[in-house]
Amino acid sequence: RPQRRRPAALLVPGYRALTVFTDDGITRAKGPSRSYDLLKKLEGFACYTTGSVRPMLISTGARAWTADVWRGRAVSLKLYGAKVVVHSLRRTLEGLPPDEAYDALNEVLDVLADLGVRAGSVSSMSWSLWRATLSSPVNISSDPRVSRRALYGARQEAQRPQRVETPVVAVDLMKAYPSSMAGRPYAGLLRRVSPSTRLDPEVAGLVEARVSVPDDAEHPFPPLPKRLAPQMIQWPWGDVEGVWPWGEVVAARELGCDVEVKKVWAPATTLDLFSNWYAYVRRADELAPRGAKLLKAIANNLWGCFAMSGDERATVTWADDLGFEPEIVARPPRRMPHLRTAHVAAETTSRVRVRMLREALYGGVGEPLHVDTDGYLIDARYADRVRVGEGPGQWRIKTRMRVLDLKGPQLYRYLCGEGCGITHEKWHVVAAGIPGDQAREFFDRVRHGFSISYHGLDAVVPSGRELDPVQVALYRSQHDQVHSLAYGDPIGAEVR
C-alpha cells in the first residue's frame, strides 16, 4: 500500500569535493572532512549517484567507505560511522543537468511510493515493483542445479572489423525483454517427465540434450549457446551438450540439427507472472515524463532479478585515501529466495534469442554485420525485407547510417548523413553501456580486432568450433582488458 517516501539526495562527487541536491536545495562542500560531514547529515535519505558509485571515494577519501561488492563490482557504498548508503542509478539520468536529474529521480520515487515500493537500489526497486503488481501469492520453484545450467546471456557478435562505405540500417526489437515476459505464461513449478515428451516451443520447459550442429553453408549461425566458463559462452558448431529451454531446442531442430533428448522438465503449474506488471511499465512515459528512462531501467532490470545469486560477494575497505590499497574480505554465500527462480530468467533470455535466430539470422533479411541482444545491423538494400511494426515486441528501423566503422562486438561508430561534423559532432559512437563522450574515448582506446563482447550477463566469444582451455583463457584475458578499459579495474575480483 502507499507509504510515506524517504527523502532523496542526488550526489555529485568531485575531487575532494561534493555537491548534494535535496528538496532543501543545493549544498556544496570542499575538502574531504567537510564532504564527510555533509554526507553524515544525510542519514535517513535515499542517496544516489547517476553513474558508478566509485567516484564517491575521491570526495572524502576512500578510507571513509565500505563497499559491498558482487563479482568485482561495487553495488553500494556505506559511509563509515554513519547510516548512509549510496546506490547507483546506472547512468539512466546521465546527460541531464544535475538539478533536472534530481527532479526526474523524485518523480520516479513518488510513482513507486504510491505502489508501496521503498526507495533503494535499482534491483530492489525492480523486484518490489513487480511484487506490487501481483494480485495473489505465487509459488515459483525449480532445481537450481538444472535451471542455472539453462541460463545464458544474449547473442553478441560482429563480422570482421571494417569500414562500410555503403548505407547500413540498425534494426531492433522494441521492448524486447518486457514484451517477451508478458507474451506467454511461465513455469511456476518444474517437474521431470519422460524424455519422449513432445517439446512444445510455446511451453516454458527445460530439456537436457545432445545437439549436432552442422558446419556448412546452410548453417552459418549456430543456434545454441554453450557455457565455456563462468560468465563466458559461445555459439559452437559440432556436438553440443547442455540444458536449454524447449523453444530454443525446437528452433535448432527446425534448422536441421540432430537432437538427442536425454532429460525433460515440464511445468507442473503455469503462471501469468507479468501481464499486470507490463501494463504498468508500458505507461512509464505517462507516469514519469521526466524520469521515464529511469523507470524503464528499473523495469528492464527485473528479468535478471530472477537469476540473482548470493555467491562471489565481498566487503571492501581501503587502507589509503586514493583507493589503491583495497582490503578485501570474502563473504560466505548467502541463500537467497531467487536461488530457485533461475528458470524464469533462462526462459526470458531464450525467448529473445529465439526471435533473433529465426527472424534476424535466418529470416531472409541478409547477413547481419553486427548482432547485439535485440538488434542487428544490415546493408540498407535489405531494409524492405524487415517486417516492421509499431508496437512493443515488433521490429523497427532504428537508425540509418551513411558510413559504418565497425570495431568489434558492441562497439562501432557511424555517420548519419544529416549534418555529421557540421550541425553536430562528427561520428555517432555506440558502445554498449557507455554514454556520450566516454564512449568516444573508449572507442579510440580499444584496438581494432577485438572479438569478444564486454557488456552483459555473459561475455560472448566468436562462433566456431569448441575451444580448448588455453583458447578460453586467452579470450578471458581479452575480455578483462577491454572491460577494464570501459569500466575500470574490478574491485574484489580476487574472491572469484
Side-chain angles (χ1 to χ4, degrees):
R1 32 182 200 182
Q3 63 172 352
R4 183 177 179 182
R5 182 169 73 77
R6 295 167 63 195
L10 185 66
L11 313 181
V12 183
Y15 180 71
R16 301 296 189 260
L18 181 67
T19 302
V20 176
F21 291 79
T22 66
D23 286 345
D24 293 329
I26 305 171
T27 309
R28 294 181 174 86
K30 290 187 177 181
S33 296
R34 290 179 179 176
S35 296
Y36 177 85
D37 290 340
L38 176 56
L39 285 164
K40 283 197 69 173
K41 295 178 182 178
L42 298 177
E43 288 191 343
F45 281 70
C47 299
Y48 299 94
T49 61
T50 56
S52 169
V53 296
R54 290 185 67 168
M56 290 299 302
L57 302 180
I58 64 172
S59 65
T60 59
R63 285 184 289 188
W65 297 98
T66 299
D68 283 338
V69 174
W70 183 66
R71 292 184 177 175
R73 181 171 62 88
V75 295
S76 66
L77 288 178
K78 298 177 180 177
L79 188 68
Y80 181 77
K83 295 180 180 179
V84 175
V85 181
V86 181
H87 300 287
S88 169
L89 297 176
R90 303 187 184 181
R91 296 174 167 167
T92 54
L93 300 180
E94 282 192 341
L96 293 176
D99 57 337
E100 294 182 19
Y102 178 68
D103 290 341
L105 169 63
N106 272 318
E107 187 178 64
V108 170
L109 295 181
D110 285 339
V111 167
L112 296 178
D114 288 343
L115 279 177
V117 176
R118 178 180 173 83
S121 68
V122 168
S123 291
S124 68
M125 292 188 291
S126 177
W127 188 255
S128 296
L129 172 60
W130 170 65
R131 291 182 62 196
T133 63
L134 296 174
S135 58
S136 60
V138 294
N139 189 2
I140 307 172
S141 183
S142 63
D143 185 343
R145 294 170 297 180
V146 175
S147 56
R148 298 202 78 84
R149 289 175 62 197
L151 178 60
Y152 305 93
R155 190 163 199 147
Q156 297 149 341
E157 60 184 282
Q159 290 188 14
R160 65 188 184 282
Q162 57 185 304
R163 173 73 65 89
V164 181
E165 302 283 354
T166 55
V168 171
V169 294
V171 184
D172 78 340
L173 195 58
M174 293 182 283
K175 294 181 172 58
Y177 281 86
S179 62
S180 71
M181 292 162 71
R184 297 197 305 272
Y186 283 76
L189 304 177
L190 280 173
R191 63 177 180 177
R192 189 169 171 184
V193 296
S194 169
S196 62
T197 301
R198 186 179 75 87
L199 303 182
D200 183 342
E202 299 296 310
V203 173
L206 299 178
V207 53
E208 181 177 338
R210 181 176 183 271
V211 181
S212 296
V213 183
D215 182 3
D216 56 34
E218 293 185 3
H219 300 86
F221 302 102
L224 294 171
K226 175 183 175 64
R227 186 158 301 284
L228 302 177
Q231 291 88 58
M232 180 173 286
I233 60 177
Q234 180 193 30
W235 269 258
W237 289 292
D239 292 337
V240 188
E241 295 189 28
V243 178
W244 301 276
W246 285 8
E248 210 152 9
V249 173
V250 170
R253 179 183 282 163
E254 290 175 352
L255 288 173
C257 302
D258 291 331
V259 176
E260 177 188 347
V261 174
K262 296 183 176 181
K263 299 176 183 178
V264 176
W265 294 265
T269 60
T270 57
L271 299 170
D272 177 4
L273 295 174
F274 301 113
S275 288
N276 291 340
W277 167 85
Y278 186 53
Y280 187 83
V281 300
R282 283 191 66 180
R283 298 170 53 213
D285 292 326
E286 171 191 340
L287 294 167
R290 292 173 295 182
K293 190 174 180 181
L294 172 58
L295 190 56
K296 290 174 183 176
I298 291 171
N300 287 333
N301 184 77
L302 177 61
W303 73 266
C305 292
F306 287 89
M308 287 195 299
S309 63
D311 58 355
E312 300 183 41
R313 301 186 308 140
T315 298
V316 179
T317 56
W318 286 268
D320 69 314
D321 273 338
L322 295 178
F324 293 147
E325 300 177 30
E327 297 180 341
I328 303 162
V329 178
R331 299 171 66 184
R334 175 185 172 193
R335 189 173 180 85
M336 303 176 69
H338 312 79
L339 178 68
R340 304 190 68 85
T341 64
H343 64 286
V344 175
E347 174 68 21
T348 300
T349 60
S350 177
R351 290 178 183 182
V352 176
R353 288 195 304 269
V354 168
R355 290 203 61 184
M356 289 292 295
L357 182 73
R358 292 178 183 274
E359 300 170 31
L361 302 181
Y362 287 96
V365 296
E367 184 174 351
L369 300 166
H370 178 274
V371 174
D372 183 10
T373 309
D374 57 1
Y376 58 96
L377 307 181
I378 56 169
D379 190 306
R381 291 176 296 175
Y382 306 124
D384 59 351
R385 300 182 185 179
V386 180
R387 296 181 179 178
V388 298
E390 298 182 355
Q394 296 181 300
W395 297 100
R396 65 170 175 171
I397 305 295
K398 183 179 180 181
T399 310
R400 296 185 182 272
M401 309 173 184
R402 181 170 59 85
V403 177
L404 170 68
D405 188 4
L406 179 62
K407 254 190 181 179
Q410 304 181 312
L411 186 61
Y412 59 88
R413 64 181 183 177
Y414 65 91
L415 300 177
C416 67
E418 298 178 0
C420 258
I422 301 173
T423 61
H424 55 267
E425 194 166 358
K426 188 175 182 179
W427 295 109
H428 304 266
V429 180
V430 176
I434 306 176
D437 292 338
Q438 297 175 53
R440 294 179 181 277
E441 180 184 352
F442 178 57
F443 186 93
D444 292 337
R445 293 176 67 189
V446 173
R447 63 179 178 81
H448 277 82
F450 91 95
S451 56
I452 182 170
S453 67
Y454 62 89
H455 177 76
L457 178 66
D458 286 310
V460 184
V461 306
S463 301
R465 287 288 174 180
E466 186 173 348
L467 305 177
D468 61 40
V470 173
Q471 292 171 309
V472 172
L474 289 173
Y475 276 120
R476 169 63 69 188
S477 176
Q478 184 191 73
H479 167 266
D480 290 346
Q481 290 174 17
V482 176
H483 193 275
S484 293
L485 277 177
Y487 303 109
D489 293 329
I491 303 173
E494 294 86 345
V495 302
R496 288 187 178 180

